[in-house]
Amino acid sequence: MKCILIPFILLTAVLAKGQTAQSLPETQSNTNDKFLMAVAWYQYSAEMEALYYQAFNIATLRLDEALAADTAGKPLAIIVDIDETMLNNSPFEAAILNNGETFQSGWSSWVAGSNAKALPGALEFAKYAQSRKADIFYITNRTDLERAATLKNLQNVGYPFADDNHLVTRGDQSFSNGNTSSKEGRRIKVAEKYEIALLIGDNLNDFSVIFEDRETNNGKDAVGQNRLLFGKKFIVLPNPMYGAWEKPLVNFREGLSEAEKTNIIKAKLVVN
Ligand SMILES: [Mg+2]
């Protein structure tokens, strides 16, 4: 989750009826309150749990199909992302809201605690994959410095394949030529020895390099062109809290205040 942005969606939460963003004092609008409903939805909506179960149920079906079709003799692998795919970091996101944490100030200590919990359906799916002799590779953009604590967290939860051979961090030299957020090189490395049956993640960048361009129609064209792969080879999980989807919303600009982000995004909303 190294590429996390400070979230800024769900615009209406801080705007009283009839007010515009310009009319709000900076102290009121320059908060993470817009993030509140995203984190609340993630932590409290039954729909969130249903979506995770739905995703891992589909993953189970697709794994069974891949096992039945696998005649090449190459071992099967499933590639999963970690953050908001297998581990729930929403308590850290809540700390941003309640304790004034920022990503920079709080993420390292949250990771070091190794206390993130499993997401609904994830552990059961991982154990099922293990029982069917399909390997799971955890490909994450957590850094090598976060590797030991991440491994410990996966082990604390009880995930299978929580070992050095299956945890692939951002700069993992055995899997990648360079320290890059793109996961493509690491996926290719796994594919050298394994047939990749499925990829599971909350960010399109968890699936293929073809989704890394968000400048073209927010990445939606690439999604449309590959629509048949979703629910088949690519299993997508919901994350309204943060993600690569945020960048085009503010025209890839950085260093904006919350008020500036709010204004830019409000002006983009489709109203008819
Ligand atoms: Mg993720």
Side-chain angles (χ1 to χ4, degrees):
M1 202 168 71
K2 192 66 181 173
C3 61
I4 186 176
L5 300 175
I6 300 302
F8 49 79
I9 60 164
L10 294 162
L11 305 165
T12 54
V14 296
L15 297 178
K17 203 171 182 179
Q19 285 184 299
T20 66
Q22 281 97 340
S23 72
L24 288 171
E26 181 68 9
T27 50
Q28 187 177 349
S29 57
N30 189 17
T31 69
N32 284 305
D33 286 352
K34 295 187 292 300
F35 184 38
L36 172 63
M37 291 303 286
V39 176
W41 182 87
Y42 200 81
Q43 292 193 336
Y44 283 96
S45 73
E47 284 81 358
M48 176 275 195
E49 297 216 347
L51 282 167
Y52 272 80
Y53 286 130
Q54 176 175 271
F56 285 110
N57 286 344
I58 293 170
T60 301
L61 287 173
R62 295 309 187 194
L63 174 58
D64 287 342
E65 289 176 0
L67 286 160
D70 183 34
T71 53
K74 217 173 176 184
L76 284 187
I78 297 153
I79 290 178
V80 298
D81 169 52
I82 290 181
D83 296 313
E84 278 50 79
T85 295
M86 307 304 271
L87 293 181
N88 182 349
N89 300 293
S90 68
F92 165 70
E93 310 296 340
I96 291 177
L97 283 163
N98 285 345
N99 305 336
E101 291 275 23
T102 64
F103 178 77
Q104 288 76 10
S105 67
W107 176 245
S108 293
S109 57
W110 166 255
V111 169
S114 303
N115 273 329
K117 304 294 188 291
L119 283 151
L123 182 58
E124 295 84 348
F125 172 75
K127 287 182 172 176
Y128 178 70
Q130 182 186 38
S131 77
R132 300 301 310 271
K133 310 228 177 327
D135 281 33
I136 290 181
F137 285 86
Y138 301 87
I139 298 188
T140 177
N141 279 337
R142 291 190 178 197
T143 67
D144 290 351
L145 286 174
E146 296 162 342
R147 184 179 181 85
T150 300
L151 207 48
K152 186 178 171 194
N153 199 153
L154 293 172
Q155 291 164 353
N156 286 346
V157 169
Y159 278 121
F161 303 104
D163 57 52
D164 266 328
N165 292 331
H166 293 84
L167 173 61
V168 187
T169 44
R170 178 173 167 142
D172 194 322
Q173 291 302 307
S174 60
F175 276 82
S176 173
N177 293 326
N179 189 337
T180 170
S181 63
S182 175
K183 296 180 173 179
E184 190 75 356
R186 287 170 278 169
R187 285 189 290 261
I188 290 169
K189 194 75 180 173
V190 172
E192 287 177 2
K193 293 183 180 172
Y194 293 84
E195 183 73 28
I196 299 174
L198 288 174
L199 301 99
I200 308 175
D202 66 303
N203 189 319
L204 289 169
N205 298 359
D206 295 326
F207 305 123
S208 169
V209 70
I210 57 180
F211 300 118
E212 290 180 13
D213 170 23
R214 298 294 174 115
E215 296 200 31
T216 307
N217 193 18
N218 297 278
K220 290 185 176 183
D221 289 358
V223 167
Q225 288 155 12
N226 294 279
R227 67 186 67 190
L228 295 180
L229 291 173
F230 295 104
K232 191 169 184 187
K233 188 159 186 177
F234 303 153
I235 307 296
V236 192
L237 296 161
N239 183 355
M241 300 184 294
Y242 66 87
W245 55 269
E246 292 178 81
K247 294 181 181 179
L249 282 182
V250 291
N251 306 323
F252 301 90
R253 293 174 64 187
E254 296 184 4
L256 297 171
S257 70
E258 292 301 312
E260 288 171 325
K261 291 174 187 173
T262 296
N263 287 339
I264 292 171
I265 299 167
K266 274 181 72 74
K268 285 188 170 189
L269 292 179
V270 178
V271 294
N272 57 31

